[in-house]
Amino acid sequence: MVTISMMMQGSERKPLYKNPQAPIEQRVEDLLGRMTLEEKVGQMNQLVGIEHFKQNSATMSTDELATNTANAFYPGTTVKDMEDWTRKGLVSSFLHVLTMEEANYLQRLNMQSRLQIPLLIGIDAIHGNAKCKDNTVYPTNIGLASSFDVDMAYTIARQTALEMRAMNMHWTFNPNVEVARDGRWGRCGETFGEDPYLVSLMGAATNKGYQRNLDNTEDVLGCVKHFVAGSQSINGTNGAPADLSERTLREVFFPPFKAALQQGGDWNVMMAHNELNGIPCHINHWLMTDVLRKEWGFKGFVVSDWMDIEHCVDQHRTNINHKDAFKQSILAGMDMHMHGPEWLDAVVELVKEGQISESRIDESVRRILTVKFRLGLFEHPYSDAKTRDRVINNPEHKQTALEAARNSIVLLKNEGNLLPLDMKKYKRILVTGINANDQNIMGDWSELQPKDKVSTVLKGLRQIAPQTDFCFVDQGWDPRNMSQSKVDEAVEAAKDCDLNIVCCGEYMMRFRWNDRTSGEDTDRDNLNLVGLQEQLIQRINETGKPTIVVIISGRPLSVLYAAENVPALINAWEPGQFGGQAIAEIIFGKVNPSAKLAMTMPRSVGQIATYYNHKKSAFFHPVVCGTSKPLYPFGFGLSYTTFAYSNLSLDKKTLKSGSNETVNATITIQNTGKKDGVEICQLYINDVVASVARPVKELKDFRRVALKAGEKKTITFEIPQEKLAFYDKDMKYGVEPGVFEVQVGSSSDDGDLKKASFEVIE
Ligand code: BGC
C-alpha cells in the first residue's frame, strides 16, 4: 500500500483512484488501501431510498412490513440517520429510488464523504424502467420471449440502459432467468418462460444489452437472478422450498444462469428467496462458491434478495440470529446485503471478533468497486434534467415498445377467420372486462404512468377504428370484487352490439399490492379466471354475437370455456405501454400476429407441472376423467396466414462422436395464405435412447422467418454436437452414441412437427 499511496497524480496530488486514466485494478487497490474497515463493510451495504422510506414509515406498521417485499422502512431509524451514514461513506447502494432528483440528492450527500466513492443506484427495471414516471414501458419478459426475438431483447435492454443512466440509475435487477414451469407462481410474467434454451438466449441478450462491456457511462449493471429454483417451489408459492435433483438443476435451471453470465457479462447475481434441498440459497456455499465462482469462474459480486439473509432466521430457521446469518452468508459467498441498517455494525463486529477475515471483506469490496469504476461513476456521478428529458420515452424507444408489443401477442384461436375484423361489417362493438381500459395492461413491475402515455385496449381500438362505435361497459379494475349488476349491464349491452370484445385476465399493478391476483408474492392455487370473469364471458358469448376474448396476464390461465366456446382468443400477456394499440392493430388486421407461447397453457391447475420437454413416462398412464394434453402447447400461436412445412432433410445420416462434424437440417416453409406474415420456426431434438431418461424433445434452435403471401424460403439450422450433450449416469456431460431425432415445425406439438433422424457413431 505504501507504494500505491505515494503514486499521487500531478500538482493537486490527486489520489491514484481518482485518475480515470489509471488501470481499474490499480484504482481499486489504491482505494481499498485507503479504506477503514467500516468503509469497506459500507461498500457491502444497501438501503432503500429515503423517499420510499418516508412514504412507508408514514403509512405502514412494523407488522405489515414483516413479510412485505415491495415496501420497507427501518423502525427506529430516521431519515437523518440514513443521510448521516451516506455522508460518512457507509452506504454503497440505494434501491427503490424513483426520480433523478432523489438519485442526485443522495449522490451529493455521498460526495461529502471522505473518499467520495459514488453510490450505485439500483432499481427493478424489468421491462423498461417502468417504475419511474415517464420512462418507456415495454412488454414484460414472458411476452418478449413469446416473440422469440432475441435481437429485440437486446435492443430493449440497450434502450433501458440509456433511460436509466439519464435518470442517474445504474443497476437493474433483471434479467430474471428463472425457468417458469408452474403457472401458480405469480412471477411467471417476469421470466422468459419454460424453456431453458429460449430463456438462455433471451437472458444473455438482455444482460448483454444492459452491460455491453460494462465500461461506459451508457451502460448499466444487469443482475442475473434469482439463483436458483424459486420458480419451481414445492407448492408454487414464492419463496417456498425447492426440492430438485442435481440433474434437474444442471439440465434445466442452471443453463440460463450460465449463459446470461458467460455471454452477457458476469458482473452480478442475486440469490433466490428459497431454500434449495434444505439449504437456503442465501447461505448456500455450493451455489455461491462451488458452482458460481469455482465452476463457472464468476468474477462479479453476489447480492442478497430483499431481507433474505434475515429470513434464514425467521423463515428457514437455519440461523439463530441475524448476525449469525450474515456471517454464514458472507462465508458462503455473499458480497452485498439488500437491505437494511443492521448489516454494517454486525459485519464490522464479526471481523473485529475474528469470525470473518478482513481479507474476505476485501474480496467483496474489490468486486463492488470494480463495477463502480467500470460504470464511470467516479467521473459521472450525476445526471441532469435536460439529458433525462431528451432520453426517456423518446420516439425511438416508444416505437420499439410498440413493435415489441405487436410481436408478443399470441393468437390462440380464430374460428371461421373471425379475425381480422372487417371494419365495415361490425359497426357497434361492445368492449368490456377488467382489462378493457386499465393501466394494468403494462404488467407487474410498473407504476402508474401519465394517462396520455398508456394505450389501453379501449383507447387502442378507438385509435385504430375511429369510425366504429365502441360501447364500453366498465367492469372496474378489481377481478375479486366485480359487480353483478355491471356484468348484467354488459350482457344487456351485447344485445345491441354486432360483436363483443371481453378483456379478461389478472390484475398485476404494484401500487395495489394486496389486491392484485398476479405478480411477485401473488401466487394462486388455481388458474381459473378470478371473480365473475368467466360468467361475463359465457353470458356475453351466449348472446350469440361473435365474441373475442383478450387475456391480459403474466401467467398462463386455464381459460377452458373461452378456448372451447368463443370463436377468437388472444393471449396478450402484459404488453406494456402500447399494449392497447398493438392489440387493436391485431384485431383489425393492421398487424398480422406472429408470437408463440413461451409457456404451456394447462387445461387446469391439476396439470401442473405441464411443460413440453417432459420425460416420456410422464404420460405413461393417462389421467382419468380428463386429458393429459394441455390447452395450448409451448411454441403455439396462429397467424392470419398459413405456413406449410416441407422437405425436412439432413445433410448427414451419421456423425462421428467427438469430432467437429455438425449436421445441417434444411426445411422449406411456404406462406400458403393471402397475407404477409412472420413464422417462428422451431427445431427440437430428441435423443431416442439414452443411458438416462431424456425429455421427449428439447428446443435447440428457432428462426423468425418473414414470408410474403405465397413466398417460399428454405432455411438451414446447423446442429453442432454440443446441442446433443447431457449429463449421464455419473453426471458427466457429453454426447452418447445413438439415434437423434430432429423435429422441425410451428409448435412443440407432435402434430406440428416434421421429423428426420441421424446417428452419432463411435
Ligand atoms: C424481489 C427481487 C427484487 C427486489 C428489489 C425482491 O422482493 O424478489 O426480484 O429485485 O425485491 O425490488
Side-chain angles (χ1 to χ4, degrees):
M1 284 314 122
V2 178
T3 358
I4 289 170
S5 348
M6 280 165 51
M7 289 169 65
M8 300 292 192
Q9 303 292 308
S11 53
E12 295 159 16
R13 297 178 67 78
K14 195 155 98 177
L16 175 76
Y17 78 89
K18 289 203 168 169
N19 175 6
Q21 262 75 55
I24 286 180
E25 300 77 56
Q26 288 184 21
R27 298 179 78 184
V28 168
E29 290 309 320
D30 178 57
L31 179 51
L32 195 64
R34 298 167 190 273
M35 293 169 78
T36 63
L37 173 62
E38 284 73 10
E39 284 164 340
K40 288 178 183 176
V41 178
Q43 283 306 305
M44 302 165 77
N45 186 24
Q46 187 184 52
L47 299 178
V48 293
I50 52 177
E51 292 307 321
H52 175 92
F53 177 93
K54 281 185 205 160
Q55 193 185 341
N56 292 326
S57 45
T59 55
M60 297 185 72
S61 71
T62 314
D63 276 355
E64 274 178 283
L65 287 171
T67 53
N68 193 302
T69 52
N71 301 74
F73 76 90
Y74 312 127
T77 296
T78 63
V79 170
K80 186 169 174 308
D81 293 333
M82 291 164 73
E83 292 179 336
D84 284 348
W85 294 326
T86 312
R87 274 194 207 95
K88 288 185 185 144
L90 300 176
V91 185
S92 179
S93 171
F94 280 92
L95 81 159
H96 288 352
V97 172
L98 301 184
T99 63
M100 182 200 74
E101 286 78 5
E102 187 184 348
N104 282 348
Y105 172 73
L106 292 169
Q107 199 70 279
R108 270 197 301 277
L109 286 181
N110 180 70
M111 285 305 160
Q112 296 172 32
S113 64
R114 194 174 74 89
L115 294 167
Q116 300 181 310
I117 306 173
L119 294 169
L120 187 67
I121 308 281
I123 187 155
D124 293 271
I126 310 289
H127 51 122
N129 197 10
K131 285 171 70 63
C132 296
K133 191 163 157 275
D134 281 336
N135 283 235
T136 307
V137 186
Y138 304 87
T140 61
N141 291 340
I142 191 78
L144 187 53
S146 297
S147 75
F148 285 67
D149 191 342
V150 179
D151 295 340
M152 179 64 90
Y154 179 85
T155 303
I156 290 175
R158 271 310 314 134
Q159 295 182 354
T160 303
L162 296 178
E163 297 200 13
M164 286 179 64
R165 289 306 291 253
M167 298 282 291
N168 203 16
M169 298 170 186
H170 325 113
W171 178 17
T172 169
F173 306 126
N174 196 47
N176 182 333
V177 295
E178 290 171 284
V179 173
R181 315 206 284 187
D182 186 336
R184 295 173 300 176
W185 187 55
R187 304 188 76 166
C188 296
E190 64 182 278
T191 75
F192 297 105
E194 78 184 32
D195 178 68
Y197 178 73
L198 180 59
V199 179
S200 297
L201 262 56
M202 286 286 171
T206 299
N207 209 29
K208 187 79 187 166
Y210 292 138
Q211 305 185 136
R212 296 187 295 186
N213 292 323
L214 202 77
D215 56 1
N216 201 293
T217 53
E218 292 192 338
D219 298 337
V220 294
L221 177 64
C223 172
V224 180
K225 74 184 190 185
H226 310 83
F227 199 47
V228 66
S231 53
Q232 199 165 334
S233 70
I234 48 156
N235 57 7
T237 65
N238 199 32
D243 209 318
L244 295 167
S245 69
E246 186 174 342
R247 175 177 304 287
T248 301
L249 289 170
R250 290 192 182 275
E251 283 177 356
V252 178
F253 292 92
F254 282 2
F257 283 88
K258 207 171 160 185
L261 292 169
Q262 295 185 348
Q263 291 155 39
D266 62 341
W267 296 109
N268 186 232
V269 166
M270 187 189 290
M271 298 312 287
H273 301 307
N274 51 286
E275 57 149 278
L276 177 66
N277 303 330
I279 316 242
C281 293
H282 279 73
I283 53 167
N284 198 314
H285 190 275
W286 180 65
L287 286 178
M288 283 190 266
T289 298
D290 298 339
V291 174
L292 206 52
R293 294 217 183 266
K294 294 195 182 146
E295 231 184 277
W296 298 352
F298 175 65
K299 65 177 182 299
F301 72 91
V302 178
V303 66
S304 71
D305 199 352
W306 190 276
M307 317 291 286
D308 274 329
I309 312 182
E310 287 82 342
H311 291 322
C312 291
V313 179
D314 64 55
Q315 294 295 326
H316 306 302
R317 304 282 179 139
T318 49
N319 298 80
I320 191 81
N321 55 36
H322 292 172
K323 187 172 162 188
D324 180 46
F326 293 161
K327 173 182 157 189
Q328 267 205 42
S329 187
I330 292 174
L331 294 180
M334 185 60 68
D335 298 303
M336 191 188 280
H337 176 238
M338 178 193 283
H339 55 86
E342 254 185 90
W343 173 264
L344 187 72
D345 289 349
V347 177
V348 168
E349 251 173 56
L350 285 165
V351 178
K352 287 190 173 154
E353 289 161 6
Q355 301 204 55
I356 299 178
S357 69
E358 189 160 346
S359 61
R360 169 64 194 86
I361 299 296
D362 288 351
E363 284 172 15
S364 293
V365 179
R366 269 191 197 99
R367 293 167 187 148
I368 294 162
L369 291 178
T370 300
V371 164
K372 291 186 174 184
F373 280 116
R374 292 185 75 103
L375 285 167
L377 291 176
F378 284 78
E379 291 74 43
H380 303 278
Y382 305 110
S383 187
D384 59 81
K386 224 169 114 197
T387 310
R388 176 195 61 194
D389 297 344
R390 179 171 46 79
V391 175
I392 60 173
N393 211 216
N394 69 41
E396 188 192 339
H397 296 188
K398 287 201 263 199
Q399 187 56 35
T400 304
L402 173 60
E403 203 53 48
R406 290 169 174 158
N407 291 350
S408 70
I409 295 166
V410 192
L411 176 64
L412 292 174
K413 186 178 179 191
N414 191 17
E415 213 170 70
N417 292 331
L418 173 63
L419 294 172
L421 289 186
D422 178 349
M423 278 196 199
K424 292 194 205 91
K425 188 164 167 197
Y426 302 104
K427 298 224 157 17
R428 191 170 153 78
I429 296 181
L430 171 70
V431 182
T432 192
I434 59 152
N435 283 317
N437 196 24
D438 198 278
Q439 293 216 3
N440 184 43
I441 193 147
M442 292 186 295
D444 191 15
W445 294 107
S446 35
E447 294 302 335
L448 284 178
Q449 294 292 343
K451 230 174 154 185
D452 61 310
K453 295 266 164 76
V454 185
S455 172
T456 65
V457 180
L458 182 65
K459 197 164 152 188
L461 289 166
R462 289 190 168 141
Q463 175 194 341
I464 300 302
Q467 316 302 342
T468 308
D469 176 13
F470 291 102
C471 160
F472 173 53
V473 180
D474 194 355
Q475 300 293 336
W477 59 268
D478 183 0
R480 296 190 216 187
N481 294 298
M482 290 173 73
S483 131
Q484 186 62 57
S485 65
K486 290 307 268 183
V487 173
D488 298 345
E489 189 185 321
V491 176
E492 266 316 292
K495 294 179 186 156
D496 293 331
C497 293
D498 312 320
L499 181 131
N500 312 305
I501 300 177
V502 187
C503 302
C504 64
E506 300 272 32
Y507 190 79
M508 287 79 68
M509 293 302 281
R510 303 206 133 221
F511 76 102
R512 295 194 173 113
W513 184 259
N514 292 321
D515 300 310
R516 54 195 204 149
T517 60
S518 189
E520 188 190 7
D521 294 344
T522 315
D523 314 302
R524 294 192 51 204
D525 65 0
N526 69 74
L527 301 178
N528 304 334
L529 288 167
V530 173
L532 304 178
Q533 297 191 82
E534 187 88 12
Q535 187 203 122
L536 178 71
I537 295 171
Q538 183 164 350
R539 286 179 57 205
I540 284 188
N541 190 43
E542 283 168 359
T543 62
K545 305 286 171 62
T547 298
I548 302 166
V549 168
V550 178
I551 311 167
I552 307 290
S553 167
R555 63 153 63 86
L557 287 170
S558 301
V559 284
L560 205 55
Y561 173 84
E564 285 174 356
N565 298 285
V566 304
L569 181 59
I570 293 171
N571 191 33
W573 299 116
E574 303 166 299
Q577 178 184 0
F578 292 104
Q581 179 180 335
I583 290 167
E585 288 174 335
I586 285 178
I587 288 180
F588 285 102
K590 288 208 176 320
V591 168
N592 189 355
S594 58
K596 310 261 189 178
L597 292 175
M599 210 176 159
T600 303
M601 288 179 74
R603 300 177 79 81
S604 72
V605 75
Q607 285 194 334
I608 285 172
T610 295
Y611 39 85
Y612 84 92
N613 48 352
H614 58 81
K615 307 285 173 77
K616 185 157 182 358
S617 59
F619 299 106
F620 179 13
H621 299 296
V623 294
V624 294
C625 316
T627 157
S628 305
K629 256 186 128 42
L631 196 55
Y632 295 105
F634 173 85
F636 176 80
L638 300 171
S639 159
Y640 293 150
T641 188
T642 43
F643 300 100
Y645 285 74
S646 61
N647 300 332
L648 173 62
S649 69
L650 307 178
D651 70 341
K652 290 188 193 68
K653 279 278 148 211
T654 55
L655 263 191
K656 237 169 114 212
S657 165
S659 69
N660 286 333
E661 290 177 356
T662 60
V663 177
N664 289 319
T666 303
I667 190 137
T668 302
I669 312 175
Q670 183 171 12
N671 181 339
T672 46
K674 294 199 177 62
K675 289 197 165 64
D676 300 351
V678 172
E679 166 68 340
I680 297 165
C681 168
Q682 301 151 50
L683 178 138
Y684 299 87
I685 293 183
N686 170 229
D687 188 342
V688 178
V689 178
S691 60
V692 298
R694 300 285 298 133
V696 288
K697 57 176 76 89
E698 291 173 292
L699 185 71
K700 293 291 179 181
D701 212 340
F702 54 82
R703 200 75 50 82
R704 286 172 54 86
V705 188
L707 289 166
K708 301 226 173 297
E711 195 186 358
K712 204 188 245 189
K713 277 185 189 163
T714 296
I715 56 168
T716 299
F717 293 103
E718 195 186 336
I719 308 172
Q721 289 205 31
E722 72 216 32
K723 296 212 171 183
L724 313 176
F726 66 96
Y727 291 91
D728 71 8
K729 276 186 193 151
D730 304 318
M731 293 303 287
K732 281 223 282 302
Y733 193 68
V735 181
E736 277 183 1
V739 176
F740 291 82
E741 189 178 55
V742 178
Q743 313 173 352
V744 185
S746 61
S747 91
S748 68
D749 189 82
D750 271 332
D752 290 333
L753 293 165
K754 302 276 179 225
K755 296 176 182 174
S757 302
F758 66 90
E759 191 176 350
V760 173
I761 50 170
E762 300 260 24

